Amino acid sequence: MSEAVVERVAAATPGPPRLEWQVATVVSVQQETPRARTLVLDVPQWPGHRAGQHVDVRLVAEDGYQAQRSYSIASAPAERTVALTVERLDDGEVSPYLCGVLQPADGVEVRGPIGGYFVWEVAQGGPLLLVAGGSGIVPLMAMLRHHARADVSARAAVPVRLLYSARTLDDVIYRAELEKLADPPQVEVVLTLTRDAPPAWSGYRRRVDRAMLEAVSWPSSAAPHVYVCGPTSLVESVATLLVDLGHEASRVRTERFGPTA
Amino acid sequence: MADQPFIARGFHSRRAAAPPGRLPPGQYETRDFPVLSAGPTPRTPLESWDFTIRGADGGQSSVRWSWDELQALPRETPTVDIHCVTKWSKFDTRWEGVSVDTLLDAALTAGVADGAFVLAFCDGGYTTNLPRADVTGGKAWVAFGYDGAPLAPEHGGPARLLVPHLYFWKSAKWVRGLQLLPSDEPGFWEQLGYHDRGDPWREQRYQGDP
Amino acid sequence: MQTEELRLDGNAAGGVLRQVFAEDVTAALATCAGCGTSGLVGSLLEYGHGMGIVLRCPKCDSAVLRIARARGRLHVDLSGVRLLTIPERVSLA
Ligand SMILES: Cc1cc2nc3c(=O)[nH]c(=O)nc-3n(C[C@H](O)[C@H](O)[C@H](O)COP(=O)(O)OP(=O)(O)OC[C@H]3O[C@@H](n4cnc5c(N)ncnc54)[C@H](O)[C@@H]3O)c2cc1C
């Protein structure tokens, strides 16, 4: 390919040349769990996104006070609206606003999509191992939704396993959708409940540990693409264990959410 | 930035009402003690910890105190308000430490070359610059106790600088010494546009603020 | 609250990095001037708060990139990065 052609193709890439703040409109809200809510946003100049990317949200009060946080995109790249799922931290500053105050038809300032590191596309192939803690499921859900929309042969070529750690069964975000994905098993979903499990619960009921990862993940020889997301402490312990189990550090991608537990 | 921020309906800053005259401009009161850090928490064992004052002769002259030697110096227990440039202030924080006067007097008596400015240096590579006059005269301490207990690592323990009349980034965590300097040299945040002095009552946040 | 619990991936800084660079650099390769290790900018460790952000080398903890916003200016310290290798944005379409 000649240089001129490369330039023309690059110039034709969609998306604004700079990342600007925009006022998105809340189209709808949906309570996912007692503590988590999905906001569906209409972003006027949305260039499309890749599974795993996030947006920055900025809140400005009347007296000029500002708060800014990042939120992963839950919706599949093919969708025209942008869905965020926010878990409410009671002593937090921004999440109670997004989970409570913000209503349909309200505006909210966002910029994005952001990040080219924690992204996955079907074309990258598999196997794909996803490990989530709490709201860390959100960008992984975008990957699962992207996978579910791929054509049958592409999908079949990429086996997917999700290990998802939540406090209780009620805290499992997207539970119905995950159950559907897991049956028929295009995706293997393994839950572990760290606080409270129903009496009949036969799954894991502890924090993610080495034995659990060894049981759930493919051996390092299968060279899975691994994405780990959630509270910083969980992400760091899981990533360290995976590297100890022989997975190449560069194949283990992480997205730390901070102290969200 | 040139863009006009959009006001978020129903979003309010958490400004608690504070007694008049106690909050510097633009600040709000917090009851928490937020952890702000530009790096991981260093963990230097007390046996190998020391505090050094280096002279303005490029550090050729210097004095150092081991942890035990520092502990043996006269202590003070200031109760002060602290003001972070990120806009929170916390009232009546109780500290324990050694006055910088005590340390500087000892250093100068020992022949350490004096200078008009200091650069505090820390484990983890953090630095911050201050006029010498702001760390003398009973205004600054090397603090190792907070609220009746040893200073926690996330708040700068084993020891941090405490200069409460300036924005709190000047109160360097994990401090290991002071470099006296003949002229001002910007520290970690000052290199990135923050003020060389940082007086919260004059809102000296950024370079160029009066 | 340990400071390690507050850290994020460099990927989280993608928004402000996109203000600085014409391309998304979270997928760019940065070589640490401190120890010579190369890694994706998105995999550096971000320590950020209201004053600014510091992206550190996960191997040696050196500050690779530092960014602060002050009085309508972004101050960007690149002295900790020896080399930045940025993939060109070439569309697959
Ligand atoms: C790339 C990225 C993507 C993310 N995606 C999502 C997502 O999809 N969904 C989601 O719910 N969250 C997500 N997060 C987390 C999100 O950005 C916020 O951190 C979260 O919503 C909490 O914000 P808050 O303002 O409510 O809480 P904060 O006010 O920030 O407080 C959070 C908690 O940490 C403590 N804390 C915070 N800062 C300090 C400090 N300096 N010192 C001491 N304690 C402190 C608080 O006490 C509180 O318990 C993401 C984060 C990143 C970086």
Side-chain angles (χ1 to χ4, degrees):
Chain A
M1 200 190 279
S2 78
E3 258 184 53
V5 173
V6 173
E7 256 175 43
R8 194 160 47 74
V9 174
T13 305
R18 290 188 45 157
L19 192 64
E20 304 287 358
W21 289 102
Q22 305 183 49
V23 180
T25 306
V26 179
V27 179
S28 63
V29 301
Q30 188 188 328
Q31 202 67 35
E32 301 282 357
T33 73
R35 297 193 304 136
R37 167 165 117 157
T38 292
L39 304 168
V40 179
L41 304 178
D42 177 27
V43 190
Q45 312 237 321
W46 188 250
H49 68 276
R50 298 160 72 193
Q53 287 188 301
H54 65 274
V55 297
D56 288 343
V57 172
R58 176 166 77 176
L59 302 179
V60 182
E62 255 163 41
D63 61 1
Y65 179 83
Q66 295 194 5
Q68 186 185 313
R69 299 287 185 276
S70 300
Y71 291 95
S72 301
I73 301 167
S75 37
E79 265 163 61
R80 300 186 65 189
T81 50
V82 177
L84 311 179
T85 303
V86 181
E87 183 182 38
R88 179 197 176 93
L89 302 186
D90 287 330
D91 65 340
E93 185 166 28
V94 172
S95 61
Y97 177 87
L98 297 177
C99 286
V101 182
L102 203 64
Q103 296 303 332
D106 278 339
V108 61
E109 256 191 314
V110 301
R111 69 174 178 194
I114 295 167
Y117 169 69
F118 197 77
V119 290
W120 180 78
E121 266 153 38
V122 164
Q124 276 169 255
L128 178 64
L129 174 66
L130 309 175
V131 184
S135 56
I137 186 67
V138 177
L140 308 184
M141 196 63 204
M143 295 177 190
L144 290 171
R145 287 169 170 165
H146 170 58
H147 178 259
R149 279 165 172 73
D151 66 63
V152 183
S153 62
R155 216 179 325 153
V158 184
V160 184
R161 287 181 193 164
L162 166 70
L163 174 58
Y164 179 8
S165 168
R167 290 183 198 179
T168 70
L169 200 54
D170 283 344
D171 286 307
V172 173
I173 305 174
Y174 318 125
R175 194 166 125 207
E177 190 176 347
L178 288 173
E179 275 165 9
K180 239 202 241 155
L181 281 178
D183 169 43
Q186 282 159 5
V187 178
E188 290 172 64
V189 177
V190 180
L191 295 179
T192 181
L193 305 178
T194 56
R195 251 187 219 172
D196 222 11
W201 182 252
S202 59
Y204 291 115
R205 39 170 89 211
R206 58 176 201 266
R207 285 162 178 270
V208 178
D209 58 21
R210 190 185 163 104
M212 199 187 295
L213 283 170
E214 221 168 354
V216 174
S217 83
W218 286 275
S220 56
S221 57
H225 295 279
V226 190
Y227 291 80
V228 187
C229 185
T232 294
S233 53
L234 172 136
V235 170
E236 296 195 350
S237 83
V238 169
T240 306
L241 288 169
L242 286 166
V243 172
D244 282 352
L245 287 171
H247 294 273
E248 214 181 291
S250 64
R251 295 186 84 90
V252 180
R253 300 216 165 186
T254 52
E255 186 83 285
R256 292 167 173 83
F257 273 10
T260 69
Chain B
M1 276 181 68
D3 53 350
Q4 291 285 315
F6 164 87
I7 306 297
R9 180 190 67 78
F11 178 66
H12 305 288
S13 57
R14 293 169 157 180
R15 282 166 206 196
R22 202 159 177 191
L23 274 181
Q27 298 293 111
Y28 64 93
E29 187 196 348
T30 178
R31 305 270 154 96
D32 304 334
F33 195 166
V35 176
L36 268 68
S37 179
T41 304
R43 288 168 207 280
T44 305
L46 294 182
E47 308 84 71
S48 50
W49 188 95
D50 59 13
F51 188 86
T52 307
I53 295 186
R54 296 189 197 135
D57 49 4
Q60 281 182 313
S61 57
S62 69
V63 279
R64 77 174 265 283
W65 291 263
S66 68
W67 179 257
D68 290 341
E69 285 164 346
L70 185 86
Q71 297 294 306
L73 295 174
R75 296 167 179 214
E76 296 179 7
T77 52
T79 295
V80 295
D81 296 352
I82 55 178
H83 310 289
C84 179
V85 72
T86 62
K87 301 199 169 171
W88 56 264
S89 292
K90 188 171 171 61
F91 296 152
D92 298 321
T93 57
R94 293 165 48 230
W95 302 85
E96 180 169 26
V98 171
S99 170
V100 174
D101 290 310
T102 306
L103 299 165
L104 262 181
D105 287 348
L108 297 178
T109 306
V112 168
D114 202 0
F117 296 90
V118 296
L119 187 72
F121 54 91
C122 305
D123 280 324
Y126 184 78
T127 56
T128 188
N129 53 309
L130 305 106
R132 181 188 183 289
D134 276 306
V135 295
T136 49
K139 295 196 289 287
W141 295 266
V142 174
F144 40 73
Y146 175 75
D147 223 3
L151 181 61
E154 65 270 27
H155 289 301
R160 76 182 296 164
L161 200 60
L162 175 66
V163 195
H165 72 289
L166 300 179
Y167 281 126
F168 211 46
W169 90 79
K170 299 286 183 181
S171 294
K173 292 181 179 187
W174 310 305
V175 71
R176 291 294 300 276
L178 298 175
Q179 166 78 60
L180 285 154
L181 293 166
S183 57
D184 210 0
E185 280 181 23
F188 187 90
W189 289 118
E190 292 83 358
Q191 291 165 11
L192 290 175
Y194 283 89
H195 202 275
D196 285 322
R197 177 139 189 275
D199 180 347
W201 295 97
R202 298 169 67 183
E203 274 208 273
Q204 293 173 335
R205 298 177 192 276
Y206 307 120
Q207 299 283 349
D209 286 344
Chain C
M1 176 69 50
Q2 299 297 300
T3 51
E4 286 77 7
E5 284 176 57
L6 294 166
R7 68 182 167 206
L8 306 174
D9 295 88
N11 193 55
V16 69
L17 288 170
R18 194 61 183 70
Q19 268 183 281
V20 175
F21 297 97
E23 302 286 337
D24 169 41
V25 294
T26 57
L29 206 59
T31 305
C32 169
C35 70
T37 303
S38 295
L40 299 181
V41 171
S43 71
L44 296 171
L45 291 172
E46 180 196 326
Y47 294 83
H49 52 69
M51 290 185 77
I53 61 164
V54 183
L55 300 184
R56 292 187 180 269
C57 172
K59 284 267 155 52
C60 75
D61 279 332
S62 300
V64 176
L65 276 161
R66 300 192 296 151
I67 305 177
R69 172 182 288 150
R71 301 230 295 183
R73 294 194 192 113
L74 286 174
H75 296 255
V76 185
D77 177 10
L78 298 164
S79 61
V81 56
R82 186 187 298 164
L83 181 69
L84 201 54
T85 309
I86 305 172
E88 280 192 292
R89 190 159 40 120
V90 176
S91 165
L92 300 171

